[in-house]
Amino acid sequence: MSGVPILRLGDVLVTGLLNELDDKAAVAFTEELTERIVADRARAILIDISRLEIIDSFVARTLMELTTTARLLGARVIVAGMRPAVAITLVELGLQLSGVETTLNAEQGMIALGWQPAPQPPKGARVVPLR
């Protein structure tokens, strides 16, 4: 087990990468997520990287390999929440996330996968808590 939570929401797996992900944990995470794609028959993966402040070449390659593997298994991959510094580092390393969809945040990623956010009450409406 990688220690990185992988949540199942219907046929979508939602997970995220943290700064503390070392090489060994990255490999374990990739193996665990790949197994979950098959076991849960996931049609899509949302990987939230908004907490990732920096990225090294190993983690970047691991992310690329993971997305390629997921696509080969029939799962759509969306990487959400990439910080500008991470994007710049990927470009400087000459790494491209070919075929990987990106969104500014996890909510936009879920919307891209067909999730409908709950309607918000109109401005000024009184919200009564349930008991």
Side-chain angles (χ1 to χ4, degrees):
M1 301 241 350
S2 66
V4 177
I6 300 172
L7 307 173
R8 181 177 175 205
L9 300 174
D11 56 0
V12 176
L13 296 177
V14 179
T15 189
L17 294 181
L18 306 174
N19 282 337
E20 300 83 35
L21 195 65
D22 61 15
D23 294 359
K24 185 177 178 181
V27 170
F29 171 68
T30 300
E31 291 172 358
E32 183 179 356
L33 187 57
T34 302
E35 290 172 10
R36 289 284 304 272
I37 291 168
V38 175
D40 294 341
R41 298 180 185 194
R43 73 167 173 87
I45 314 300
L46 177 76
I47 303 173
D48 182 359
I49 63 169
S50 61
R51 295 187 59 195
L52 193 64
E53 293 181 20
I54 57 171
I55 191 166
D56 64 20
S57 60
F58 180 79
V59 173
R61 278 194 305 276
T62 300
L63 184 59
M64 289 180 359
E65 291 169 5
L66 174 61
T67 56
T68 301
T69 302
R71 285 196 334 261
L72 288 171
L73 294 171
R76 181 177 170 189
V77 177
I78 294 182
V79 174
M82 186 178 303
R83 292 175 183 238
V86 171
I88 290 167
T89 301
L90 288 173
V91 170
E92 288 174 348
L93 293 172
L95 300 172
Q96 298 176 357
L97 297 179
S98 301
V100 179
E101 295 175 69
T102 58
T103 59
L104 289 176
N105 58 47
E107 183 178 7
Q108 287 182 355
M110 290 301 292
I111 290 169
L113 293 172
W115 173 75
Q116 298 291 323
Q120 298 296 315
K123 269 192 166 175
R126 184 169 170 245
V127 177
V128 179
L130 298 175
R131 294 182 192 244

